Amino acid sequence: MRNRLFVLVLVSGGVIAGFTLMPWPHDVQATQVTRHIDIKARQWAWELSDQTARVGEVIEFRVSSEDVNHGFALYDEQQHMLAQIQAMPGFVNKVRHRFTAPGVYKVLCLEYCGVAHHGMVADIQVLPAP
């Protein structure tokens, strides 16, 4: 019984520590949205309502799909994933992100969606704060 309790405490502590230490910007979810960018996915392209943003803006990406499931993923110039969410037909999923540095950010598809999946790329130009 004592060993089971020890394992339970150890696993619970690991789970709690893991979730609190994840590199996601938790403050963004509670922050007022500055702008919305609508994103439509379809084989094999992204359609963005705007391809520019500014440093410091909290952008709410509203992501949907016109055909099959796609995986919306936002990457910085060092190829670090900053945000991701599913793009599904018939749904609008939302994810927020605050840009902290100017540059060209990539939108890639993380869900295999057919033969041209690898070419499903779009850019977002992030400009310095005004």
Side-chain angles (χ1 to χ4, degrees):
M1 182 66 172
R2 187 173 174 188
N3 287 341
R4 288 182 186 170
L5 181 61
F6 175 74
V7 170
L8 178 63
V9 168
L10 185 63
V11 169
S12 298
V15 168
I16 291 168
F19 279 118
T20 58
L21 296 175
M22 286 186 174
W24 298 326
H26 301 288
D27 68 312
V28 172
Q29 297 306 319
T31 304
Q32 185 72 18
V33 172
T34 308
R35 282 192 316 122
H36 296 95
I37 295 179
D38 294 319
I39 311 252
K40 289 184 185 173
R42 69 177 168 281
Q43 293 175 312
W44 292 279
W46 297 104
E47 180 183 319
L48 287 71
S49 64
D50 195 347
Q51 288 188 260
T52 61
R54 291 223 177 250
V55 169
E57 286 187 314
V58 176
I59 305 292
E60 182 173 83
F61 295 98
R62 298 184 296 199
V63 183
S64 63
S65 171
E66 295 180 351
D67 46 30
V68 300
N69 282 1
H70 298 275
F72 169 85
L74 182 65
Y75 287 84
D76 66 13
E77 291 178 322
Q78 289 76 40
Q79 297 301 308
H80 296 121
M81 185 191 298
L82 304 174
Q84 70 90 23
I85 199 163
Q86 283 293 127
M88 302 181 300
F91 293 92
V92 176
N93 291 321
K94 300 172 184 174
V95 64
R96 295 178 183 173
H97 181 72
R98 180 193 325 260
F99 291 100
T100 59
V104 178
Y105 291 74
K106 296 282 186 198
V107 175
L108 303 175
C109 183
L110 292 182
E111 183 84 24
Y112 181 73
C113 57
V115 297
H117 162 76
H118 63 281
M120 196 168 167
V121 180
D123 291 335
I124 296 175
Q125 177 73 43
V126 177
L127 306 170

